[in-house]
Amino acid sequence: MLGHAWIMADGADASFANEDDLVKRILVGRGIRAEDIPSFLNPSVRDYMPDPFVLHDCEKAIKLIADAIYSHEKIAVYGDYDVDGITSTAIFVKYLQTIGVDVVWHLPTREGEGYGLNKDALRNLYNDGVRLLITVDCGISGVAEVDYAKSLGMRVVVTDHHSPDNVLPNADAIVNPKCENDNSELDYLAGVGVAFLVLVALNRDLKNSGNSDLTEKIKFINLLNFLDCVALGTICDTMSLVKLNRAFVATGLKVLNLRQNLGLKTLMQIARVDKVSVYTAGFVLGPRLNAAGRIDSAAPALELLLTDNPIVAYDLATKLDVMNQERINIQNTIMIQATELADNCCKSGRCSLFICGNNWHGGVMGIIAGRLKDKYNLPACVATRTDDVINGSGRSIPGINLGAIIHSALALGLVSEGGGHAAAAGFSLPVSKEDEFCEFLETSVKNQLNGEMPVGDIVVDAEMDAAAATMQLVEKLDQMEPFGQSNPEPMLALRGAVFDYATVMGHSGTHLRGAFRTSTGNRLEFVGFNLVGTPLGNFLLDDANINTKIMVLGRLKENSYNGRRSVQLILEDIAQ
């Protein structure tokens, strides 16, 4: 009813003996080998952890960092203003502080300095006595800035996970699994994952150094406790939850729920998070940590992760909560304007969206790009036009490598700065190049699509009778957690459902709740988000359709209310 193509995964329509058999069949359909299923369902860092030295230049980086520590040099950790960059900076700074290193940190401001290394900031760090610079979640595109840092007299270790340009910076060591000379096969890691592996290697090196003062301090460090930050950064950077990432997130969520980090514990209290899941990490905690960098400076978010003072933690967590609400207000205002422009753009039959407004707040461009991408199923770039310069962010759909497009635009001189992943990218360009870039984006997307318009496919993991939607099934499917990028919640097609009723819910008046009946006479309750006004919503709100037999598509969840547990369907679509 919503125009999506339901694509059946391998074996989706096969019968299953029991719930365990169904879980195995879903995982095999997703490409998990049968022999790997036990470790997939019980991911451990120990099982997936490689020797960090498989990362190219990691051994060289460790020697540089260790030598600086032994020489009592001042070290700077230079990060980014998003959650991945903030958490990467936090674990590195916290580790170095714990072992007594003279360490400072710098996070760029989104509006003032922009993404990546900044020459003024580097000069200030050098004047402050810094002689070793460690970048986390950035630096791979800072060719000129690394040269400048080295000309001042600093040594530079780059740790990053973004795709490099044709020319690498002349750093003393570059640890980035996306570099061509890296054979680690760890290119799915977030920036915080790369930083964590470097810390594991550094911790091992210092532990074996024979330096009694360092080894005594290291005795009190358990690097697994840093996995709360590693999980947050990995989830919020929407990295694939496979292999080591899956182990990082599964263990990191357990650490998060132990509430050992005072700042995160306080933020959970402010945000009313009882139990941290991938969802609450990505959509409750993450936005609050991100809000600081979007509105002003990311410093309060990093300070929250580093503080051991309850009063400071409460003040910072409250500040982030207020900033997040401010971000939402700004975002909603711009979203109205951006949607109007996108509607006009779509009427022309374009395969991509390039939406640009005057003096929009740059901190919410990525969020709005993601919303437009979801709404129109098109790769979307959203930007703000300020003082003859355009700064923006893009979000892409499966099958379109937006990061590659931005890198090509950079090589051709259409954008002055840019980079990113297949699914997300950032860019800057002069206003004079606006039309040219817009057409280059459209042509590049068409080329990747081979001239076909993108179709909103939904992959169906399994088809079954609606009566099979039981709590036992929900509990078995939950064994596949953590869910996220590359491991979404199972999408089920339930046949034989009979429509019972539907009503509007929520303050916005855009959501629905209701129920279907199954062949056994049981009632299967559902909720459907943002369905009012859609063909599906119109069908459900028309009383003439009550008692109609349908096939429903959605995800099963546990619904708890007043101590009663029941199955609830998150409704995605319906077919007759």
Side-chain angles (χ1 to χ4, degrees), residues 362 365 382-386 389-393 417 427-429:
M365 297 297 94
V382 179
T384 177
R385 206 184 286 113
T386 308
V389 176
I390 291 172
N391 292 297
S393 294
E417 294 180 56
F427 55 89
S428 298
L429 65 148

Side-chain angles (χ1 to χ4, degrees), residues 78 106 108 112-123 145 148:
Y78 197 119
H106 181 80
E113 298 171 56
Y115 171 77
L117 301 177
N118 177 275
K119 289 183 178 179
D120 288 341
L122 295 175
R123 185 174 61 252
E145 291 80 7
Y148 179 71

Side-chain angles (χ1 to χ4, degrees), residues 22 107 189 198 226 247 320 571:
L22 175 63
L107 299 180
L189 290 177
V198 174
F226 287 3
L320 293 180
L571 182 64

Side-chain angles (χ1 to χ4, degrees), residues 132-371:
L132 176 66
L133 177 75
I134 303 171
T135 76
V136 289
D137 192 36
C138 68
I140 197 65
S141 60
V143 175
E145 291 80 7
V146 169
D147 283 345
Y148 179 71
K150 295 194 71 175
S151 73
L152 292 173
M154 285 195 282
R155 296 180 306 288
V156 181
V157 172
V158 168
T159 77
D160 203 348
H161 75 128
H162 293 96
S163 298
D165 298 320
N166 294 330
V167 179
L168 294 176
N170 186 31
D172 296 278
I174 297 176
V175 185
N176 184 343
K178 282 199 172 74
C179 288
E180 285 188 7
N181 55 8
D182 188 285
N183 299 314
S184 66
E185 299 184 355
L186 294 168
D187 56 340
Y188 56 83
L189 290 177
V192 70
V194 176
F196 181 77
L197 287 187
V198 174
L199 279 182
V200 170
L202 178 62
N203 191 64
R204 180 179 63 188
D205 187 88
L206 297 179
K207 189 183 293 185
N208 297 329
S209 67
N211 185 309
S212 58
D213 183 47
L214 284 173
T215 54
E216 184 63 25
K217 292 172 180 173
I218 287 172
K219 280 199 313 189
F220 299 98
I221 297 176
N222 182 355
L223 288 179
L224 289 179
N225 291 336
F226 287 3
L227 288 179
D228 51 4
C229 285
V230 177
L232 270 174
T234 301
I235 293 167
C236 294
D237 225 41
T238 62
M239 306 309 294
S240 295
L241 297 192
V242 297
K243 303 176 184 176
L244 185 57
N245 275 354
R246 182 169 169 79
F248 279 162
V249 170
T251 306
L253 289 175
K254 294 175 184 175
V255 177
L256 274 165
N257 283 306
L258 291 175
R259 288 164 164 73
Q260 295 175 328
N261 182 294
L262 176 64
L264 289 175
K265 173 184 176 181
T266 309
L267 188 62
M268 291 177 214
Q269 292 170 343
I270 295 287
R272 297 192 177 111
V273 172
D274 294 323
K275 182 181 179 181
V276 185
S277 61
V278 170
Y279 176 82
T280 52
F283 293 96
V284 181
L285 301 179
R288 284 165 172 79
L289 291 171
N290 252 333
R294 294 188 184 282
I295 300 299
D296 185 19
S297 164
L302 178 56
E303 290 166 355
L304 179 71
L305 297 183
L306 295 175
T307 187
D308 290 320
N309 185 314
I311 297 174
V312 172
Y314 181 81
D315 288 344
L316 289 170
T318 303
K319 182 177 183 179
L320 293 180
D321 196 54
V322 171
M323 282 182 161
N324 188 53
Q325 187 57 54
E326 183 182 349
R327 185 269 304 171
I328 291 172
N329 295 338
I330 292 170
Q331 172 188 314
N332 290 344
T333 300
I334 297 175
M335 186 66 190
I336 294 171
Q337 303 170 51
T339 301
E340 185 176 343
L341 293 172
D343 284 338
N344 294 332
C345 192
C346 285
K347 289 175 183 176
S348 64
R350 295 179 68 88
C351 296
S352 66
L353 297 175
F354 180 64
I355 308 300
C356 198
N358 290 322
N359 299 310
W360 283 349
H361 197 294
V364 298
M365 297 297 94
I367 298 175
I368 293 174
R371 295 284 178 87

